[in-house]
Amino acid sequence: MTSEYKEKLQANGVNLSSALNRFMDNEQLYERILSKFPMDENFLQMEKCLIENNINQAFSHAHTLKGLAGTLDLTTLLNILTPMTEQLRTGNTEGMQELFNQLKTEYNQICQLIAEHKA
């Protein structure tokens, strides 16, 4: 992993030192797993479920995405997904569109960064 990529990840809310610690300082493994993050379907499925007002399924996808963000230490996403998941768990959709819009912006940024690095 180049130092430039590391800096960009950190600038986009990735707690790289914590993530690498979780991956036993194996940068290659972390980078390989991180590169697969944009291919995960949970974000798109959550969006679809929110549009369809299928709150139980939206919760399930949000919870899974939160777990992925936590494992990869995508702190910015985790900080949005944590309250979002808890709201969905209780069926509370108040302010959900605003939270989702924030999540979408941050999600797209990190996915774009990962895609640019892979290219």
Side-chain angles (χ1 to χ4, degrees):
M1 201 176 331
T2 66
S3 58
E4 180 184 352
Y5 186 45
K6 288 178 185 179
E7 288 173 18
K8 286 180 179 180
L9 287 171
Q10 289 172 326
N12 281 276
V14 178
N15 185 340
L16 202 51
S17 63
S18 175
L20 288 175
N21 187 44
R22 180 173 288 109
F23 282 79
M24 300 183 308
D25 291 318
N26 188 333
E27 287 185 14
Q28 221 175 3
L29 176 61
Y30 178 76
E31 192 172 5
R32 192 173 80 227
I33 302 301
L34 181 65
S35 72
K36 297 174 191 264
F37 179 76
M39 294 177 267
D40 181 78
E41 293 287 320
N42 281 290
F43 178 82
L44 295 173
Q45 291 299 317
M46 178 178 60
E47 181 176 35
K48 181 180 178 226
C49 290
L50 287 171
I51 290 167
E52 295 171 352
N53 203 32
N54 185 342
I55 303 308
N56 286 336
Q57 278 301 111
F59 163 74
S60 179
H61 293 296
H63 190 266
T64 302
L65 191 59
K66 182 181 125 186
L68 290 170
T71 298
L72 295 169
D73 261 296
L74 307 177
T75 309
T76 304
L77 296 183
L78 194 58
N79 289 341
I80 300 167
L81 281 162
T82 299
M84 195 174 183
T85 301
E86 291 313 307
Q87 266 190 254
L88 289 169
R89 183 188 310 272
T90 64
N92 179 3
T93 58
E94 186 176 328
M96 190 56 60
Q97 189 61 52
E98 183 180 323
L99 277 173
F100 183 79
N101 290 342
Q102 290 173 0
L103 177 65
K104 189 172 192 172
T105 299
E106 297 298 332
Y107 177 85
N108 286 335
Q109 275 185 301
I110 195 70
C111 287
Q112 182 179 347
L113 175 61
I114 295 166
E116 287 171 359
H117 179 70
K118 280 176 60 177

